[in-house]
Amino acid sequence: MDLGISGKRALVCAASKGLGYACAQALARAGVHLVIVARNEPPLQAAAGHLRSLGPVSVEAVAADITTPEGRADALAAAARLPGGARGEFDILVTNAGGPPAGDFRDWDDAAWHRALDANMLTPIALMRETLDGMMSRGWGRICNITSTAVKAPSPYLGLSNGARSGLTGFVAGLARQVAGSGVTINNLLPGTFDTDRLRSNLAAGAAQAAMELEAYIAKRLDAIPARRFGHAEEFGAACAFLCSRQAAYITAQNLLIDGGAYPGTL
Ligand code: NAP
């Protein structure tokens, strides 16, 4: 399917691997020029090289911590190096950052909460603040925030994620409707359980916490997923690219759960 976004410019955050990379990959295949961001330069440059091989797209790699004002400034400035671009002029924004650590509520002091809020709530909000007016003035824009299934089905051990991402979700619910008449859509993508590095370290931590062998713990987790498998990052990227497409113009203010049927509710 032609997604109708060839030649658009996208900022994809936290995109050297995992879900962010999969979103960048699907957008590159649709002909979108990219700025990708991650902190560690070698994997980031490798990811940029793979993305450039997918089609006639420009890919700018920005080695930065997207949760800092300096990192965000570098990412926004890189738009000027894309074809036809200027500082902060993105048509598509995919927000993402590392997830907060698991733990017990007693472990999380104010500093831990501030880190989680910075990464998973305030950074996406800051990036929307910087890019949204430009999208609205050009009459077209797509924003996808990578959040988590934790927004719908909280995990007690991921309280920082439950809290920070729910704050973002509430903010987006209002903002998306406020700007819906301008050609800009804003949606959140809620990953269930996807096979990424982050999942593998979470599984190891979960097995230790439950005092179970890793294999037995994984089997138990798979048992709770009707699809009987973890998601593939490419499946997530494809959903992101669709939400960024011309065809998805009437989908906004939504929270799309991609979890192999794990969430047990009707809606
Ligand atoms: P991942 O495989 O560990 O990849 C994380 C990516 O983000 C890497 O490219 C990493 O590169 C980059 N990154 C992390 N912190 C960053 C920062 N401060 N600034 C810039 N780049 C940063 O993780 P993932 O599984 O794709 O998860 C992505 C997000 O989805 C996380 O917030 C995670 O909590 C959430 N999520 C994932 C799942 C799942 O099943 N995988 C489920 C629910 C929610 P560097 O380390 O080099 O910066």
Side-chain angles (χ1 to χ4, degrees):
M1 181 163 87
D2 177 3
L3 298 181
I5 50 177
S6 180
K8 301 280 189 198
R9 292 180 299 272
L11 170 59
V12 186
C13 304
S16 64
K17 62 181 181 176
L19 303 180
Y21 176 77
C23 294
Q25 186 178 45
L27 291 171
R29 288 195 171 120
V32 174
H33 303 302
L34 296 167
V35 172
I36 60 167
V37 184
R39 291 163 302 181
N40 296 296
E41 180 101 45
L44 178 68
Q45 291 298 349
H50 291 307
L51 293 169
R52 287 184 195 109
S53 73
L54 296 175
V57 293
S58 295
V59 181
E60 288 291 325
V62 176
D65 182 340
I66 198 67
T67 68
T68 64
E70 299 77 18
R72 289 192 290 275
D74 288 350
L76 293 165
R81 302 198 291 276
L82 295 180
R87 186 199 172 277
E89 273 196 10
F90 291 105
D91 308 300
I92 294 170
L93 168 65
V94 180
T95 74
N96 186 26
D104 181 86
F105 76 94
R106 297 171 190 85
D107 305 334
W108 302 322
D109 57 13
D110 284 358
W113 272 106
H114 283 295
R115 277 193 298 277
L117 290 169
D118 272 341
N120 301 116
M121 179 181 171
L122 298 178
T123 289
I125 290 173
L127 289 168
M128 286 188 263
R129 191 172 59 231
E130 292 280 353
T131 55
L132 196 43
D133 279 335
M135 292 180 189
M136 291 171 72
S137 67
R138 293 187 298 278
W140 199 96
R142 299 284 185 268
I143 298 176
C144 288
N145 301 296
I146 299 180
T147 64
S148 172
T149 188
V151 171
K152 277 194 81 119
S155 152
Y157 299 108
L158 289 171
L160 293 170
S161 175
N162 302 338
R165 296 186 202 273
S166 294
L168 174 64
T169 304
F171 172 72
V172 163
L175 182 66
R177 290 170 171 94
Q178 184 184 340
V179 303
S182 66
V184 180
T185 68
I186 313 181
N187 294 289
N188 303 320
L189 282 166
L190 284 57
T193 315
F194 279 81
D195 191 2
T196 64
D197 286 0
R198 157 95 176 164
L199 175 69
R200 284 185 279 278
S201 61
N202 276 354
L203 288 173
Q209 210 148 31
M212 290 173 76
E213 291 295 324
L214 182 60
E215 289 312 309
Y217 183 73
I218 289 175
K220 185 175 155 221
R221 290 286 300 268
L222 287 173
D223 232 27
I225 303 173
R228 292 288 178 267
R229 64 174 177 85
F230 297 137
H232 304 307
E234 297 74 31
E235 296 167 321
F236 190 88
C240 175
F242 178 71
L243 284 180
C244 295
S245 71
R246 174 169 39 81
Q247 292 87 342
Y250 205 51
I251 303 175
T252 196
Q254 298 305 301
N255 289 281
L256 179 60
L257 191 56
I258 311 177
D259 70 347
Y263 177 72
T266 304
L267 291 173

